[in-house]
Amino acid sequence: VIFKGLASHWPANKWSYGDLMEKCSGSSIMHLAFEREKWGNLGDSNVGAFEDFLTYMKEKQYQSLHWRNRRYGFDYGIVGECPILTNDFKIPKYFSACLLQTLSRRDAAQNLENVRYFWPTMMIGSPHTRSEIHYDDDGLPFWMGLVKGKKLFRILTPSLNAHLVTREANSWPSMLGKDFSHSGSYETSSAIYPEAFLRESQSYAFEIFQSDNYKKRFPKICELHVYEGQLHAGDVIYIPNSSPHGALNLEETIAITANYASPRDSVQMEYYRAQCDKGHSRPLCQHFKAEREEGNGAVFREKDYFSYAGYTASRWCKERRTALQRTLTKDGESPFIQELRALNRFCEAVL
């Protein structure tokens, strides 16, 4: 589903690379390049200075490179790297009641290792960079708000491709009416077109944006039913659970994105109930029952970042700053020194 203009009022739509350099100096970003058989065909991971990557984009240094060698800025952790940016976007009302946040955030400020669900994150891509068709963790749904450029999405859903879904050991929420309580183990997954599925990388051995090149090797490509949609700046896309997808940057793009688990999604909730009842010691299971019951009464309401995460900005500043300051040595050094500096700038500006 594409919600046209749902994010058009975000101040983030006016971001320039210069703005981001000024606001987020000293931070770091992971950037990737195309690599076959990795998750989404993205590999060659490097972490570098955010300013250097923004200069790469601003000066269009990518233009001399083949698209497979261009760098894709991936999963920039906004709350840790540059919390001042949280002022510039909202959590869309349809996705503001998210179990991944309420389950993992109660002590998030004090827990310096609890970064798994610190969504949303930022993606920055040059033209023709892409994530090839893949599943997200646990087949999770996700949303993405685009604030710069255009993206092309291609998506497969189990309901439209039921003829190509393995019906044994189905442990992802597939929307095919499965009984998860009698399904296979957590590690086992059902996939659309399993003959082409690369289980280790949760991706596929063909490229959805160059599928004609793979028809001889994977003839059932011709049987796939594919949704295609183009996202423009100001739009938000939602991709449902267990739906492998790929995204191609048609222009320079900046996006805000997060995975999402809704208490209203009965299929997703039944999947988690079954997994947690099997005794998995995953963080998601720790308070699942209470959170599920608490979340069922949630209403659609756009939220700012901190209310979405179960905090206020002032409480986050107080508790996170205290936790970070405890890591300082007598010489003022800490592995979290950059986050502490960014947090201090944010708290001074906001409070």
Side-chain angles (χ1 to χ4, degrees):
V1 179
I2 294 178
F3 301 90
K4 300 297 292 182
L6 188 62
S8 59
H9 63 293
W10 294 357
N13 285 279
K14 298 180 180 179
W15 281 345
S16 68
Y17 299 129
D19 292 334
L20 294 175
M21 286 180 186
E22 182 178 349
K23 292 180 177 182
C24 307
S25 61
S27 64
S28 300
I29 188 171
M30 175 176 66
H31 48 88
L32 309 168
F34 184 90
E35 186 173 349
R36 291 185 187 280
E37 300 192 1
K38 298 292 187 180
W39 180 86
N41 279 6
L42 288 168
D44 189 22
S45 174
N46 284 286
V47 176
F50 193 38
E51 291 115 309
D52 291 346
F53 186 79
L54 293 172
T55 298
Y56 166 83
M57 294 295 298
K58 184 177 181 180
E59 296 181 356
K60 302 187 186 301
Q61 295 172 10
Y62 58 79
Q63 288 184 332
S64 62
L65 302 172
H66 188 277
W67 69 263
R68 292 176 185 265
N69 297 320
R70 295 180 180 184
R71 309 303 299 181
Y72 193 173
F74 207 80
D75 264 354
Y76 178 80
I78 294 171
V79 70
E81 298 287 348
C82 191
I84 195 71
L85 296 183
T86 59
N87 294 330
D88 293 344
F89 64 88
K90 300 291 185 181
I91 307 302
K93 61 183 180 180
Y94 304 112
F95 316 118
S96 61
C98 178
L99 291 182
L100 298 178
Q101 295 298 323
T102 54
L103 285 171
S104 299
R105 292 289 192 145
R106 285 179 170 172
D107 64 345
Q110 295 88 4
N111 186 349
L112 299 181
E113 304 302 323
N114 185 12
V115 296
R116 176 65 181 86
Y117 297 123
F118 272 26
W119 289 312
T121 60
M122 188 196 312
M123 309 288 196
I124 304 178
S126 57
H128 306 296
T129 53
R130 65 199 67 186
S131 60
E132 264 296 341
I133 188 163
H134 63 276
Y135 289 89
D136 284 10
D137 290 349
D138 291 343
L140 279 169
F142 80 94
W143 61 267
M144 174 180 284
L146 194 65
V147 299
K148 178 181 175 65
K150 298 177 184 177
K151 277 182 179 279
L152 178 68
F153 279 87
R154 289 184 178 168
I155 305 152
L156 308 177
T157 63
S159 55
L160 280 184
N161 291 281
H163 59 296
L164 293 175
V165 174
T166 305
R167 293 180 178 270
E168 301 122 23
N170 182 45
S171 67
W172 280 347
S174 69
M175 300 177 287
L176 293 178
K178 292 298 178 183
D179 181 355
F180 299 114
S181 62
H182 299 291
S183 65
S185 67
Y186 167 68
E187 289 77 16
T188 307
S189 60
S190 64
I192 298 170
Y193 197 180
E195 298 91 330
F197 182 55
L198 302 173
R199 187 174 304 281
E200 184 174 348
S201 65
Q202 302 294 291
S203 300
Y204 282 82
F206 62 84
E207 297 173 52
I208 196 70
F209 295 108
Q210 299 190 107
S211 56
D212 287 348
N213 297 340
Y214 294 86
K215 287 180 179 178
K216 185 174 181 179
R217 183 180 173 191
F218 300 111
K220 289 184 181 178
I221 283 178
C222 300
E223 300 178 33
L224 291 172
H225 293 272
V226 182
Y227 281 108
E228 181 175 287
Q230 193 171 123
L231 205 62
H232 296 249
D235 296 344
V236 174
I237 191 170
Y238 170 73
I239 294 181
N241 57 43
S242 301
S243 298
H245 51 276
L248 171 64
N249 293 312
L250 301 176
E251 302 174 351
E252 292 181 5
T253 62
I254 301 177
I256 307 295
T257 187
N259 283 108
Y260 171 67
S262 170
R264 304 181 188 90
D265 186 336
S266 60
V267 176
Q268 193 85 40
M269 292 304 99
E270 175 62 15
Y271 162 73
Y272 284 130
R273 182 200 62 76
Q275 294 301 323
C276 295
D277 286 352
K278 291 175 185 176
H280 289 294
S281 59
R282 301 162 59 211
L284 194 62
C285 297
Q286 292 175 2
H287 306 287
F288 176 74
K289 182 178 179 181
E291 288 290 351
R292 179 176 56 178
E293 292 172 353
E294 180 181 314
N296 281 338
V299 297
F300 291 132
R301 181 168 63 87
E302 183 183 76
K303 294 182 179 179
D304 63 53
Y305 174 79
F306 288 101
S307 60
Y308 161 71
Y311 276 80
T312 62
S314 59
R315 181 184 159 213
W316 179 263
C317 283
K318 179 181 178 180
E319 296 183 11
R320 189 68 172 178
R321 183 183 280 163
T322 298
L324 293 172
Q325 286 174 338
R326 289 196 189 108
T327 69
L328 291 171
T329 67
K330 292 180 180 179
D331 298 326
E333 297 180 354
S334 166
F336 299 96
I337 192 64
Q338 168 50 34
E339 182 181 346
L340 180 57
R341 289 170 179 163
L343 181 67
N344 285 335
R345 288 197 299 268
F346 166 70
C347 297
E348 289 167 7
V350 172
L351 304 181

